PDB file of all heavy atoms in Angstrom:
ATOM      1  N   THR A   1     106.189  92.322 106.955  1.00 90.00           N
ATOM      2  CA  THR A   1     105.955  90.879 106.919  1.00 90.00           C
ATOM      3  C   THR A   1     106.672  90.270 105.722  1.00 90.00           C
ATOM      4  O   THR A   1     106.894  90.932 104.708  1.00 90.00           O
ATOM      5  CB  THR A   1     104.449  90.566 106.807  1.00 90.00           C
ATOM      6  OG1 THR A   1     103.967  91.067 105.552  1.00 90.00           O
ATOM      7  CG2 THR A   1     103.671  91.208 107.925  1.00 90.00           C
ATOM      8  N   PRO A   2     107.045  88.989 105.806  1.00 87.00           N
ATOM      9  CA  PRO A   2     107.749  88.335 104.683  1.00 87.00           C
ATOM     10  C   PRO A   2     106.811  87.768 103.625  1.00 87.00           C
ATOM     11  O   PRO A   2     107.152  86.812 102.942  1.00 87.00           O
ATOM     12  CB  PRO A   2     108.528  87.227 105.388  1.00 87.00           C
ATOM     13  CG  PRO A   2     107.651  86.847 106.532  1.00 87.00           C
ATOM     14  CD  PRO A   2     106.966  88.112 106.991  1.00 87.00           C
ATOM     15  N   ILE A   3     105.602  88.333 103.515  1.00 89.00           N
ATOM     16  CA  ILE A   3     104.606  87.826 102.561  1.00 89.00           C
ATOM     17  C   ILE A   3     104.311  88.937 101.557  1.00 89.00           C
ATOM     18  O   ILE A   3     103.661  89.931 101.912  1.00 89.00           O
ATOM     19  CB  ILE A   3     103.317  87.396 103.293  1.00 89.00           C
ATOM     20  CG1 ILE A   3     103.650  86.405 104.413  1.00 89.00           C
ATOM     21  CG2 ILE A   3     102.310  86.797 102.321  1.00 89.00           C
ATOM     22  CD1 ILE A   3     102.463  86.042 105.281  1.00 89.00           C
ATOM     23  N   PRO A   4     104.781  88.822 100.314  1.00 89.00           N
ATOM     24  CA  PRO A   4     104.652  89.922  99.340  1.00 89.00           C
ATOM     25  C   PRO A   4     103.233  90.459  99.161  1.00 89.00           C
ATOM     26  O   PRO A   4     103.049  91.683  99.179  1.00 89.00           O
ATOM     27  CB  PRO A   4     105.200  89.308  98.047  1.00 89.00           C
ATOM     28  CG  PRO A   4     106.169  88.273  98.513  1.00 89.00           C
ATOM     29  CD  PRO A   4     105.581  87.706  99.771  1.00 89.00           C
ATOM     30  N   PRO A   5     102.195  89.633  98.976  1.00 90.00           N
ATOM     31  CA  PRO A   5     100.853  90.209  98.800  1.00 90.00           C
ATOM     32  C   PRO A   5     100.375  90.997 100.015  1.00 90.00           C
ATOM     33  O   PRO A   5      99.665  91.995  99.872  1.00 90.00           O
ATOM     34  CB  PRO A   5      99.965  88.972  98.556  1.00 90.00           C
ATOM     35  CG  PRO A   5     100.895  87.941  98.048  1.00 90.00           C
ATOM     36  CD  PRO A   5     102.174  88.175  98.772  1.00 90.00           C
ATOM     37  N   VAL A   6     100.772  90.561 101.216  1.00 92.00           N
ATOM     38  CA  VAL A   6     100.390  91.289 102.423  1.00 92.00           C
ATOM     39  C   VAL A   6     101.137  92.622 102.481  1.00 92.00           C
ATOM     40  O   VAL A   6     100.584  93.637 102.925  1.00 92.00           O
ATOM     41  CB  VAL A   6     100.668  90.434 103.678  1.00 92.00           C
ATOM     42  CG1 VAL A   6     100.365  91.229 104.945  1.00 92.00           C
ATOM     43  CG2 VAL A   6      99.828  89.169 103.650  1.00 92.00           C
ATOM     44  N   GLN A   7     102.385  92.634 102.024  1.00 94.00           N
ATOM     45  CA  GLN A   7     103.144  93.881 101.971  1.00 94.00           C
ATOM     46  C   GLN A   7     102.456  94.889 101.049  1.00 94.00           C
ATOM     47  O   GLN A   7     102.287  96.061 101.407  1.00 94.00           O
ATOM     48  CB  GLN A   7     104.562  93.603 101.474  1.00 94.00           C
ATOM     49  CG  GLN A   7     105.407  92.776 102.430  1.00 94.00           C
ATOM     50  CD  GLN A   7     106.746  92.390 101.824  1.00 94.00           C
ATOM     51  OE1 GLN A   7     106.943  92.489 100.612  1.00 94.00           O
ATOM     52  NE2 GLN A   7     107.669  91.944 102.656  1.00 94.00           N
ATOM     53  N   VAL A   8     102.069  94.437  99.869  1.00 94.00           N
ATOM     54  CA  VAL A   8     101.383  95.322  98.915  1.00 94.00           C
ATOM     55  C   VAL A   8     100.087  95.835  99.510  1.00 94.00           C
ATOM     56  O   VAL A   8      99.757  97.021  99.416  1.00 94.00           O
ATOM     57  CB  VAL A   8     101.124  94.569  97.586  1.00 94.00           C
ATOM     58  CG1 VAL A   8     100.250  95.399  96.655  1.00 94.00           C
ATOM     59  CG2 VAL A   8     102.452  94.230  96.906  1.00 94.00           C
ATOM     60  N   PHE A   9      99.347  94.934 100.142  1.00 94.00           N
ATOM     61  CA  PHE A   9      98.076  95.316 100.767  1.00 94.00           C
ATOM     62  C   PHE A   9      98.293  96.418 101.800  1.00 94.00           C
ATOM     63  O   PHE A   9      97.609  97.447 101.781  1.00 94.00           O
ATOM     64  CB  PHE A   9      97.444  94.086 101.413  1.00 94.00           C
ATOM     65  CG  PHE A   9      96.235  94.385 102.249  1.00 94.00           C
ATOM     66  CD1 PHE A   9      94.997  94.589 101.663  1.00 94.00           C
ATOM     67  CD2 PHE A   9      96.330  94.459 103.633  1.00 94.00           C
ATOM     68  CE1 PHE A   9      93.876  94.860 102.436  1.00 94.00           C
ATOM     69  CE2 PHE A   9      95.222  94.727 104.411  1.00 94.00           C
ATOM     70  CZ  PHE A   9      93.996  94.931 103.813  1.00 94.00           C
ATOM     71  N   GLY A  10      99.237  96.218 102.703  1.00 96.00           N
ATOM     72  CA  GLY A  10      99.471  97.196 103.760  1.00 96.00           C
ATOM     73  C   GLY A  10      99.918  98.540 103.232  1.00 96.00           C
ATOM     74  O   GLY A  10      99.432  99.597 103.666  1.00 96.00           O
ATOM     75  N   ILE A  11     100.834  98.528 102.257  1.00 96.00           N
ATOM     76  CA  ILE A  11     101.371  99.780 101.721  1.00 96.00           C
ATOM     77  C   ILE A  11     100.285 100.600 101.035  1.00 96.00           C
ATOM     78  O   ILE A  11     100.148 101.807 101.261  1.00 96.00           O
ATOM     79  CB  ILE A  11     102.529  99.480 100.745  1.00 96.00           C
ATOM     80  CG1 ILE A  11     103.741  98.951 101.524  1.00 96.00           C
ATOM     81  CG2 ILE A  11     102.921 100.738  99.954  1.00 96.00           C
ATOM     82  CD1 ILE A  11     104.846  98.429 100.638  1.00 96.00           C
ATOM     83  N   PHE A  12      99.477  99.948 100.210  1.00 96.00           N
ATOM     84  CA  PHE A  12      98.518 100.717  99.418  1.00 96.00           C
ATOM     85  C   PHE A  12      97.257 101.073 100.206  1.00 96.00           C
ATOM     86  O   PHE A  12      96.606 102.073  99.887  1.00 96.00           O
ATOM     87  CB  PHE A  12      98.185  99.973  98.128  1.00 96.00           C
ATOM     88  CG  PHE A  12      99.269 100.109  97.098  1.00 96.00           C
ATOM     89  CD1 PHE A  12     100.255  99.143  96.979  1.00 96.00           C
ATOM     90  CD2 PHE A  12      99.335 101.225  96.290  1.00 96.00           C
ATOM     91  CE1 PHE A  12     101.275  99.279  96.055  1.00 96.00           C
ATOM     92  CE2 PHE A  12     100.356 101.372  95.362  1.00 96.00           C
ATOM     93  CZ  PHE A  12     101.330 100.399  95.248  1.00 96.00           C
ATOM     94  N   VAL A  13      96.911 100.310 101.228  1.00 96.00           N
ATOM     95  CA  VAL A  13      95.846 100.780 102.111  1.00 96.00           C
ATOM     96  C   VAL A  13      96.317 102.030 102.844  1.00 96.00           C
ATOM     97  O   VAL A  13      95.550 102.989 103.028  1.00 96.00           O
ATOM     98  CB  VAL A  13      95.422  99.683 103.107  1.00 96.00           C
ATOM     99  CG1 VAL A  13      94.500 100.261 104.175  1.00 96.00           C
ATOM    100  CG2 VAL A  13      94.697  98.560 102.387  1.00 96.00           C
ATOM    101  N   SER A  14      97.586 102.043 103.244  1.00 96.00           N
ATOM    102  CA  SER A  14      98.145 103.235 103.896  1.00 96.00           C
ATOM    103  C   SER A  14      98.086 104.443 102.969  1.00 96.00           C
ATOM    104  O   SER A  14      97.714 105.548 103.388  1.00 96.00           O
ATOM    105  CB  SER A  14      99.592 102.966 104.313  1.00 96.00           C
ATOM    106  OG  SER A  14      99.674 101.883 105.208  1.00 96.00           O
ATOM    107  N   ILE A  15      98.451 104.237 101.715  1.00 96.00           N
ATOM    108  CA  ILE A  15      98.365 105.328 100.739  1.00 96.00           C
ATOM    109  C   ILE A  15      96.923 105.793 100.583  1.00 96.00           C
ATOM    110  O   ILE A  15      96.632 106.997 100.543  1.00 96.00           O
ATOM    111  CB  ILE A  15      98.936 104.870  99.385  1.00 96.00           C
ATOM    112  CG1 ILE A  15     100.448 104.637  99.505  1.00 96.00           C
ATOM    113  CG2 ILE A  15      98.646 105.900  98.289  1.00 96.00           C
ATOM    114  CD1 ILE A  15     101.080 104.031  98.268  1.00 96.00           C
ATOM    115  N   GLY A  16      95.992 104.851 100.510  1.00 96.00           N
ATOM    116  CA  GLY A  16      94.578 105.205 100.381  1.00 96.00           C
ATOM    117  C   GLY A  16      94.061 105.981 101.576  1.00 96.00           C
ATOM    118  O   GLY A  16      93.248 106.904 101.423  1.00 96.00           O
ATOM    119  N   VAL A  17      94.530 105.634 102.781  1.00 96.00           N
ATOM    120  CA  VAL A  17      94.098 106.351 103.987  1.00 96.00           C
ATOM    121  C   VAL A  17      94.548 107.807 103.933  1.00 96.00           C
ATOM    122  O   VAL A  17      93.777 108.729 104.251  1.00 96.00           O
ATOM    123  CB  VAL A  17      94.660 105.658 105.249  1.00 96.00           C
ATOM    124  CG1 VAL A  17      94.433 106.525 106.490  1.00 96.00           C
ATOM    125  CG2 VAL A  17      93.998 104.296 105.444  1.00 96.00           C
ATOM    126  N   MET A  18      95.779 108.043 103.506  1.00 96.00           N
ATOM    127  CA  MET A  18      96.274 109.423 103.444  1.00 96.00           C
ATOM    128  C   MET A  18      95.617 110.200 102.302  1.00 96.00           C
ATOM    129  O   MET A  18      95.383 111.409 102.422  1.00 96.00           O
ATOM    130  CB  MET A  18      97.791 109.432 103.296  1.00 96.00           C
ATOM    131  CG  MET A  18      98.530 108.871 104.503  1.00 96.00           C
ATOM    132  SD  MET A  18      97.938 109.521 106.107  1.00 96.00           S
ATOM    133  CE  MET A  18      98.324 111.274 105.939  1.00 96.00           C
ATOM    134  N   LEU A  19      95.310 109.518 101.204  1.00 96.00           N
ATOM    135  CA  LEU A  19      94.552 110.182 100.140  1.00 96.00           C
ATOM    136  C   LEU A  19      93.177 110.603 100.656  1.00 96.00           C
ATOM    137  O   LEU A  19      92.691 111.702 100.352  1.00 96.00           O
ATOM    138  CB  LEU A  19      94.403 109.245  98.936  1.00 96.00           C
ATOM    139  CG  LEU A  19      95.628 109.046  98.040  1.00 96.00           C
ATOM    140  CD1 LEU A  19      95.338 107.960  97.003  1.00 96.00           C
ATOM    141  CD2 LEU A  19      96.011 110.343  97.348  1.00 96.00           C
ATOM    142  N   ALA A  20      92.559 109.711 101.430  1.00 95.00           N
ATOM    143  CA  ALA A  20      91.242 110.040 102.003  1.00 95.00           C
ATOM    144  C   ALA A  20      91.347 111.260 102.911  1.00 95.00           C
ATOM    145  O   ALA A  20      90.454 112.129 102.910  1.00 95.00           O
ATOM    146  CB  ALA A  20      90.702 108.835 102.780  1.00 95.00           C
ATOM    147  N   TRP A  21      92.425 111.349 103.690  1.00 95.00           N
ATOM    148  CA  TRP A  21      92.612 112.494 104.581  1.00 95.00           C
ATOM    149  C   TRP A  21      92.764 113.794 103.783  1.00 95.00           C
ATOM    150  O   TRP A  21      92.120 114.805 104.077  1.00 95.00           O
ATOM    151  CB  TRP A  21      93.839 112.258 105.459  1.00 95.00           C
ATOM    152  CG  TRP A  21      94.211 113.422 106.320  1.00 95.00           C
ATOM    153  CD1 TRP A  21      93.561 113.851 107.443  1.00 95.00           C
ATOM    154  CD2 TRP A  21      95.304 114.314 106.109  1.00 95.00           C
ATOM    155  NE1 TRP A  21      94.184 114.955 107.960  1.00 95.00           N
ATOM    156  CE2 TRP A  21      95.265 115.275 107.162  1.00 95.00           C
ATOM    157  CE3 TRP A  21      96.315 114.411 105.167  1.00 95.00           C
ATOM    158  CZ2 TRP A  21      96.197 116.298 107.277  1.00 95.00           C
ATOM    159  CZ3 TRP A  21      97.252 115.426 105.278  1.00 95.00           C
ATOM    160  CH2 TRP A  21      97.184 116.358 106.322  1.00 95.00           C
ATOM    161  N   VAL A  22      93.614 113.758 102.743  1.00 95.00           N
ATOM    162  CA  VAL A  22      93.866 114.961 101.936  1.00 95.00           C
ATOM    163  C   VAL A  22      92.584 115.453 101.275  1.00 95.00           C
ATOM    164  O   VAL A  22      92.235 116.646 101.347  1.00 95.00           O
ATOM    165  CB  VAL A  22      94.949 114.679 100.871  1.00 95.00           C
ATOM    166  CG1 VAL A  22      95.032 115.837  99.875  1.00 95.00           C
ATOM    167  CG2 VAL A  22      96.299 114.464 101.535  1.00 95.00           C
ATOM    168  N   TRP A  23      91.855 114.535 100.640  1.00 95.00           N
ATOM    169  CA  TRP A  23      90.668 114.963  99.898  1.00 95.00           C
ATOM    170  C   TRP A  23      89.516 115.318 100.830  1.00 95.00           C
ATOM    171  O   TRP A  23      88.660 116.138 100.478  1.00 95.00           O
ATOM    172  CB  TRP A  23      90.242 113.880  98.916  1.00 95.00           C
ATOM    173  CG  TRP A  23      91.217 113.671  97.805  1.00 95.00           C
ATOM    174  CD1 TRP A  23      91.814 112.508  97.434  1.00 95.00           C
ATOM    175  CD2 TRP A  23      91.724 114.668  96.916  1.00 95.00           C
ATOM    176  NE1 TRP A  23      92.667 112.703  96.383  1.00 95.00           N
ATOM    177  CE2 TRP A  23      92.631 114.033  96.032  1.00 95.00           C
ATOM    178  CE3 TRP A  23      91.530 116.037  96.769  1.00 95.00           C
ATOM    179  CZ2 TRP A  23      93.303 114.698  95.025  1.00 95.00           C
ATOM    180  CZ3 TRP A  23      92.214 116.717  95.772  1.00 95.00           C
ATOM    181  CH2 TRP A  23      93.087 116.058  94.906  1.00 95.00           C
ATOM    182  N   THR A  24      89.478 114.733 102.022  1.00 94.00           N
ATOM    183  CA  THR A  24      88.452 115.137 102.986  1.00 94.00           C
ATOM    184  C   THR A  24      88.649 116.586 103.407  1.00 94.00           C
ATOM    185  O   THR A  24      87.693 117.365 103.486  1.00 94.00           O
ATOM    186  CB  THR A  24      88.485 114.221 104.223  1.00 94.00           C
ATOM    187  OG1 THR A  24      88.163 112.883 103.826  1.00 94.00           O
ATOM    188  CG2 THR A  24      87.471 114.678 105.269  1.00 94.00           C
ATOM    189  N   LEU A  25      89.900 116.950 103.663  1.00 93.00           N
ATOM    190  CA  LEU A  25      90.187 118.326 104.092  1.00 93.00           C
ATOM    191  C   LEU A  25      89.971 119.349 102.980  1.00 93.00           C
ATOM    192  O   LEU A  25      89.672 120.513 103.254  1.00 93.00           O
ATOM    193  CB  LEU A  25      91.636 118.427 104.593  1.00 93.00           C
ATOM    194  CG  LEU A  25      91.972 117.665 105.876  1.00 93.00           C
ATOM    195  CD1 LEU A  25      93.428 117.883 106.244  1.00 93.00           C
ATOM    196  CD2 LEU A  25      91.066 118.086 107.024  1.00 93.00           C
ATOM    197  N   THR A  26      90.140 118.921 101.727  1.00 94.00           N
ATOM    198  CA  THR A  26      90.072 119.883 100.629  1.00 94.00           C
ATOM    199  C   THR A  26      88.748 119.826  99.872  1.00 94.00           C
ATOM    200  O   THR A  26      88.136 120.864  99.592  1.00 94.00           O
ATOM    201  CB  THR A  26      91.238 119.636  99.649  1.00 94.00           C
ATOM    202  OG1 THR A  26      91.216 118.256  99.221  1.00 94.00           O
ATOM    203  CG2 THR A  26      92.573 119.924 100.307  1.00 94.00           C
ATOM    204  N   PHE A  27      88.299 118.614  99.542  1.00 94.00           N
ATOM    205  CA  PHE A  27      87.119 118.511  98.673  1.00 94.00           C
ATOM    206  C   PHE A  27      85.816 118.722  99.428  1.00 94.00           C
ATOM    207  O   PHE A  27      84.878 119.326  98.888  1.00 94.00           O
ATOM    208  CB  PHE A  27      87.091 117.161  97.961  1.00 94.00           C
ATOM    209  CG  PHE A  27      85.821 116.917  97.193  1.00 94.00           C
ATOM    210  CD1 PHE A  27      85.531 117.664  96.048  1.00 94.00           C
ATOM    211  CD2 PHE A  27      84.894 115.976  97.616  1.00 94.00           C
ATOM    212  CE1 PHE A  27      84.346 117.458  95.346  1.00 94.00           C
ATOM    213  CE2 PHE A  27      83.720 115.768  96.913  1.00 94.00           C
ATOM    214  CZ  PHE A  27      83.445 116.512  95.790  1.00 94.00           C
ATOM    215  N   ILE A  28      85.711 118.206 100.645  1.00 92.00           N
ATOM    216  CA  ILE A  28      84.437 118.332 101.370  1.00 92.00           C
ATOM    217  C   ILE A  28      84.067 119.799 101.588  1.00 92.00           C
ATOM    218  O   ILE A  28      82.924 120.209 101.311  1.00 92.00           O
ATOM    219  CB  ILE A  28      84.485 117.559 102.698  1.00 92.00           C
ATOM    220  CG1 ILE A  28      84.596 116.055 102.433  1.00 92.00           C
ATOM    221  CG2 ILE A  28      83.242 117.846 103.528  1.00 92.00           C
ATOM    222  CD1 ILE A  28      83.442 115.467 101.645  1.00 92.00           C
ATOM    223  N   PRO A  29      84.971 120.668 102.061  1.00 92.00           N
ATOM    224  CA  PRO A  29      84.616 122.093 102.139  1.00 92.00           C
ATOM    225  C   PRO A  29      84.278 122.687 100.772  1.00 92.00           C
ATOM    226  O   PRO A  29      83.340 123.497 100.653  1.00 92.00           O
ATOM    227  CB  PRO A  29      85.866 122.742 102.734  1.00 92.00           C
ATOM    228  CG  PRO A  29      86.555 121.645 103.456  1.00 92.00           C
ATOM    229  CD  PRO A  29      86.308 120.421 102.658  1.00 92.00           C
ATOM    230  N   ALA A  30      85.034 122.283  99.729  1.00 93.00           N
ATOM    231  CA  ALA A  30      84.737 122.791  98.392  1.00 93.00           C
ATOM    232  C   ALA A  30      83.357 122.355  97.931  1.00 93.00           C
ATOM    233  O   ALA A  30      82.603 123.137  97.332  1.00 93.00           O
ATOM    234  CB  ALA A  30      85.804 122.298  97.414  1.00 93.00           C
ATOM    235  N   ALA A  31      82.997 121.096  98.205  1.00 91.00           N
ATOM    236  CA  ALA A  31      81.680 120.599  97.791  1.00 91.00           C
ATOM    237  C   ALA A  31      80.567 121.345  98.507  1.00 91.00           C
ATOM    238  O   ALA A  31      79.539 121.695  97.897  1.00 91.00           O
ATOM    239  CB  ALA A  31      81.581 119.099  98.075  1.00 91.00           C
ATOM    240  N   ILE A  32      80.744 121.610  99.806  1.00 89.00           N
ATOM    241  CA  ILE A  32      79.717 122.341 100.554  1.00 89.00           C
ATOM    242  C   ILE A  32      79.567 123.764 100.016  1.00 89.00           C
ATOM    243  O   ILE A  32      78.455 124.303  99.938  1.00 89.00           O
ATOM    244  CB  ILE A  32      80.074 122.349 102.055  1.00 89.00           C
ATOM    245  CG1 ILE A  32      79.958 120.923 102.613  1.00 89.00           C
ATOM    246  CG2 ILE A  32      79.165 123.294 102.826  1.00 89.00           C
ATOM    247  CD1 ILE A  32      80.387 120.790 104.056  1.00 89.00           C
ATOM    248  N   MET A  33      80.676 124.370  99.589  1.00 90.00           N
ATOM    249  CA  MET A  33      80.597 125.714  99.025  1.00 90.00           C
ATOM    250  C   MET A  33      79.890 125.733  97.678  1.00 90.00           C
ATOM    251  O   MET A  33      79.340 126.755  97.256  1.00 90.00           O
ATOM    252  CB  MET A  33      82.004 126.311  98.877  1.00 90.00           C
ATOM    253  CG  MET A  33      82.680 126.662 100.182  1.00 90.00           C
ATOM    254  SD  MET A  33      81.699 127.794 101.197  1.00 90.00           S
ATOM    255  CE  MET A  33      81.572 129.208 100.115  1.00 90.00           C
ATOM    256  N   LEU A  34      79.897 124.583  96.980  1.00 88.00           N
ATOM    257  CA  LEU A  34      79.238 124.513  95.677  1.00 88.00           C
ATOM    258  C   LEU A  34      77.731 124.271  95.803  1.00 88.00           C
ATOM    259  O   LEU A  34      77.014 124.394  94.814  1.00 88.00           O
ATOM    260  CB  LEU A  34      79.870 123.404  94.827  1.00 88.00           C
ATOM    261  CG  LEU A  34      81.313 123.660  94.358  1.00 88.00           C
ATOM    262  CD1 LEU A  34      81.867 122.432  93.644  1.00 88.00           C
ATOM    263  CD2 LEU A  34      81.375 124.873  93.440  1.00 88.00           C
ATOM    264  N   PHE A  35      77.273 123.901  96.993  1.00 83.00           N
ATOM    265  CA  PHE A  35      75.837 123.692  97.173  1.00 83.00           C
ATOM    266  C   PHE A  35      75.091 125.020  96.997  1.00 83.00           C
ATOM    267  O   PHE A  35      75.552 126.064  97.464  1.00 83.00           O
ATOM    268  CB  PHE A  35      75.531 123.158  98.571  1.00 83.00           C
ATOM    269  CG  PHE A  35      76.003 121.758  98.820  1.00 83.00           C
ATOM    270  CD1 PHE A  35      76.286 121.336 100.107  1.00 83.00           C
ATOM    271  CD2 PHE A  35      76.170 120.861  97.779  1.00 83.00           C
ATOM    272  CE1 PHE A  35      76.718 120.052 100.347  1.00 83.00           C
ATOM    273  CE2 PHE A  35      76.607 119.579  98.004  1.00 83.00           C
ATOM    274  CZ  PHE A  35      76.882 119.171  99.286  1.00 83.00           C
ATOM    275  N   PRO A  36      73.932 124.997  96.352  1.00 80.00           N
ATOM    276  CA  PRO A  36      73.086 126.193  96.355  1.00 80.00           C
ATOM    277  C   PRO A  36      72.697 126.569  97.787  1.00 80.00           C
ATOM    278  O   PRO A  36      72.495 125.690  98.630  1.00 80.00           O
ATOM    279  CB  PRO A  36      71.861 125.771  95.530  1.00 80.00           C
ATOM    280  CG  PRO A  36      72.342 124.620  94.702  1.00 80.00           C
ATOM    281  CD  PRO A  36      73.371 123.909  95.528  1.00 80.00           C
ATOM    282  N   GLU A  37      72.588 127.836  98.033  1.00 75.00           N
ATOM    283  CA  GLU A  37      72.305 128.310  99.389  1.00 75.00           C
ATOM    284  C   GLU A  37      70.984 127.750  99.923  1.00 75.00           C
ATOM    285  O   GLU A  37      70.861 127.465 101.123  1.00 75.00           O
ATOM    286  CB  GLU A  37      72.241 129.842  99.395  1.00 75.00           C
ATOM    287  CG  GLU A  37      72.235 130.457 100.784  1.00 75.00           C
ATOM    288  CD  GLU A  37      73.563 130.289 101.498  1.00 75.00           C
ATOM    289  OE1 GLU A  37      74.610 130.385 100.832  1.00 75.00           O
ATOM    290  OE2 GLU A  37      73.532 130.048 102.717  1.00 75.00           O
ATOM    291  N   ARG A  38      70.024 127.539  99.034  1.00 74.00           N
ATOM    292  CA  ARG A  38      68.704 127.065  99.494  1.00 74.00           C
ATOM    293  C   ARG A  38      68.791 125.640 100.053  1.00 74.00           C
ATOM    294  O   ARG A  38      67.944 125.224 100.838  1.00 74.00           O
ATOM    295  CB  ARG A  38      67.691 127.106  98.347  1.00 74.00           C
ATOM    296  CG  ARG A  38      68.001 126.176  97.202  1.00 74.00           C
ATOM    297  CD  ARG A  38      66.936 126.271  96.093  1.00 74.00           C
ATOM    298  NE  ARG A  38      67.153 125.315  95.035  1.00 74.00           N
ATOM    299  CZ  ARG A  38      67.994 125.509  94.015  1.00 74.00           C
ATOM    300  NH1 ARG A  38      68.682 126.637  93.935  1.00 74.00           N
ATOM    301  NH2 ARG A  38      68.136 124.577  93.089  1.00 74.00           N
ATOM    302  N   TRP A  39      69.829 124.859  99.628  1.00 71.00           N
ATOM    303  CA  TRP A  39      69.973 123.509 100.145  1.00 71.00           C
ATOM    304  C   TRP A  39      70.304 123.516 101.639  1.00 71.00           C
ATOM    305  O   TRP A  39      70.035 122.541 102.340  1.00 71.00           O
ATOM    306  CB  TRP A  39      71.064 122.759  99.387  1.00 71.00           C
ATOM    307  CG  TRP A  39      70.678 122.375  97.994  1.00 71.00           C
ATOM    308  CD1 TRP A  39      69.598 122.814  97.307  1.00 71.00           C
ATOM    309  CD2 TRP A  39      71.366 121.475  97.146  1.00 71.00           C
ATOM    310  NE1 TRP A  39      69.569 122.258  96.061  1.00 71.00           N
ATOM    311  CE2 TRP A  39      70.652 121.415  95.928  1.00 71.00           C
ATOM    312  CE3 TRP A  39      72.519 120.714  97.262  1.00 71.00           C
ATOM    313  CZ2 TRP A  39      71.055 120.645  94.861  1.00 71.00           C
ATOM    314  CZ3 TRP A  39      72.931 119.934  96.210  1.00 71.00           C
ATOM    315  CH2 TRP A  39      72.201 119.895  95.010  1.00 71.00           C
ATOM    316  N   LEU A  40      70.922 124.591 102.093  1.00 71.00           N
ATOM    317  CA  LEU A  40      71.365 124.647 103.482  1.00 71.00           C
ATOM    318  C   LEU A  40      70.379 125.376 104.387  1.00 71.00           C
ATOM    319  O   LEU A  40      70.587 125.431 105.598  1.00 71.00           O
ATOM    320  CB  LEU A  40      72.733 125.340 103.569  1.00 71.00           C
ATOM    321  CG  LEU A  40      73.861 124.698 102.752  1.00 71.00           C
ATOM    322  CD1 LEU A  40      75.115 125.541 102.847  1.00 71.00           C
ATOM    323  CD2 LEU A  40      74.146 123.283 103.251  1.00 71.00           C
ATOM    324  N   GLU A  41      69.344 125.945 103.809  1.00 66.00           N
ATOM    325  CA  GLU A  41      68.410 126.731 104.607  1.00 66.00           C
ATOM    326  C   GLU A  41      67.745 125.892 105.688  1.00 66.00           C
ATOM    327  O   GLU A  41      67.460 126.366 106.776  1.00 66.00           O
ATOM    328  CB  GLU A  41      67.347 127.364 103.705  1.00 66.00           C
ATOM    329  CG  GLU A  41      67.906 128.456 102.796  1.00 66.00           C
ATOM    330  CD  GLU A  41      66.842 128.992 101.849  1.00 66.00           C
ATOM    331  OE1 GLU A  41      65.719 128.437 101.868  1.00 66.00           O
ATOM    332  OE2 GLU A  41      67.141 129.930 101.098  1.00 66.00           O
ATOM    333  N   GLY A  42      67.493 124.650 105.395  1.00 61.00           N
ATOM    334  CA  GLY A  42      66.807 123.803 106.362  1.00 61.00           C
ATOM    335  C   GLY A  42      67.644 123.470 107.570  1.00 61.00           C
ATOM    336  O   GLY A  42      67.114 123.010 108.589  1.00 61.00           O
ATOM    337  N   LEU A  43      68.975 123.678 107.497  1.00 57.00           N
ATOM    338  CA  LEU A  43      69.827 123.359 108.630  1.00 57.00           C
ATOM    339  C   LEU A  43      69.930 124.503 109.619  1.00 57.00           C
ATOM    340  O   LEU A  43      70.317 124.308 110.765  1.00 57.00           O
ATOM    341  CB  LEU A  43      71.250 123.009 108.130  1.00 57.00           C
ATOM    342  CG  LEU A  43      71.384 121.781 107.220  1.00 57.00           C
ATOM    343  CD1 LEU A  43      72.833 121.590 106.841  1.00 57.00           C
ATOM    344  CD2 LEU A  43      70.850 120.536 107.913  1.00 57.00           C
TER     345      LEU A  43
END
């Protein structure tokens, strides 16, 4: 688009979406592994 603030908005939301994807794949499994085993017993 020919509107600079909209360009910045679109580009950095895109960057944020891919950051969310990367950290979801890496951090969420790591966080679950850090849980004490007793936290998961109820599941």
Side-chain angles (χ1 to χ4, degrees):
T1 64
I3 306 174
V6 176
Q7 293 173 345
V8 172
F9 172 80
I11 290 171
F12 282 95
V13 170
S14 300
I15 293 173
V17 170
M18 295 313 297
L19 284 173
W21 174 74
V22 170
W23 293 125
T24 297
L25 293 181
T26 55
F27 173 69
I28 294 300
I32 292 176
M33 290 304 300
L34 291 174
F35 291 154
E37 192 69 38
R38 64 180 185 277
W39 288 12
L40 302 176
E41 291 176 355
L43 298 180

